[in-house]
Amino acid sequence: MTSSPRLPGPRDRMVDSARLLIQERGVTGVGLREVVAHAQAPRGSLQHYFPGGKTQLVGEAVARAGESTRAVVAAAVADGTDAATTFSAVVERWRAVLSDGSFARGCPLAATVVDAATGSEELREAAETALAGWRADTAALLRRDGFPAKRAASLASLLQAAVQGALIQARAQRSTAPLDAVERELLPLLTPPGGPLSG
């Protein structure tokens, strides 16, 4: 007899709900009661699991969002996928997020920075840590492909900035065309020095 998959507990559900709601409404647009209701968590569970209140919950949601994005790059590092293929996978992931959510959901990291950069140093740092982790992983992947360290770091920053900008444009236009353009224009820059794109 096989056991059914274990469902996430209320704590995990609240973190995931916070992340999804922030993607749609930003930090200031999300109330704690909404998170509890969305997560179908017991009343009173918020204070139990997040004694630090909204700042703690949002901080953990931001960290989880960063981990989710980094997982794509980590998988590429593990199985030897090149940076160009990995970048296309990241872009495709965002196409799906936008299309599946009727262009209502953007990047929770960007939303957190916009809403909390001047009001909460803790949340600004959480978002920057997540963004920096993605850049560092991407730079490491580029270095493995043969790019010099300085060039790899610069390219990683460019890729991140381009995707973030494309997400804003895509939500405004209700179209994935900006992501398509970013992928089309930046993929040639990811050709390993001295060799064609692999795979």
Side-chain angles (χ1 to χ4, degrees):
M1 181 177 178
T2 58
S3 59
S4 58
R6 186 178 178 183
L7 295 175
R11 190 182 201 286
D12 281 337
R13 295 202 307 273
M14 283 189 285
V15 173
D16 284 335
S17 288
R19 177 175 58 84
L20 289 172
L21 292 172
I22 290 166
Q23 283 183 265
E24 294 177 358
R25 310 174 195 177
V27 174
T28 58
V30 175
L32 295 180
R33 289 181 182 176
E34 291 176 288
V35 173
V36 173
H38 187 276
Q40 297 182 332
R43 291 182 180 180
S45 57
L46 187 69
Q47 183 61 35
H48 174 71
Y49 292 113
F50 304 98
K54 186 173 181 178
T55 297
Q56 181 186 354
L57 175 58
V58 172
E60 292 194 25
V62 165
R64 184 165 296 179
E67 291 165 5
S68 176
T69 301
R70 292 181 72 177
V72 178
V73 181
V77 172
D79 66 17
T81 304
D82 63 38
T85 303
T86 303
F87 181 63
S88 288
V90 170
V91 171
E92 181 56 35
R93 178 176 172 270
W94 279 115
R95 282 195 195 96
V97 169
L98 291 167
S99 298
D100 293 348
S102 300
F103 296 90
R105 294 177 180 160
C107 176
L109 305 181
T112 301
V113 171
V114 169
D115 277 0
T118 58
S120 172
E121 183 65 11
E122 185 176 340
L123 292 182
R124 184 201 64 77
E125 289 180 356
E128 170 51 16
T129 296
L131 291 166
W134 189 91
R135 288 196 305 273
D137 291 348
T138 303
L141 188 57
L142 288 163
R143 290 196 302 273
R144 193 196 65 188
D145 279 3
F147 287 89
K150 188 173 181 179
R151 174 66 170 159
S154 180
L155 271 176
S157 184
L158 173 64
L159 295 175
Q160 186 177 77
V163 169
Q164 291 291 345
L167 289 173
I168 293 172
Q169 292 182 37
R171 292 184 75 187
Q173 297 173 23
R174 299 185 67 80
S175 167
T176 60
L179 281 171
D180 299 338
V182 161
E183 182 180 25
R184 183 173 59 251
E185 295 296 333
L186 295 186
L187 275 180
L189 298 180
L190 305 184
T191 304
L197 290 172
S198 60

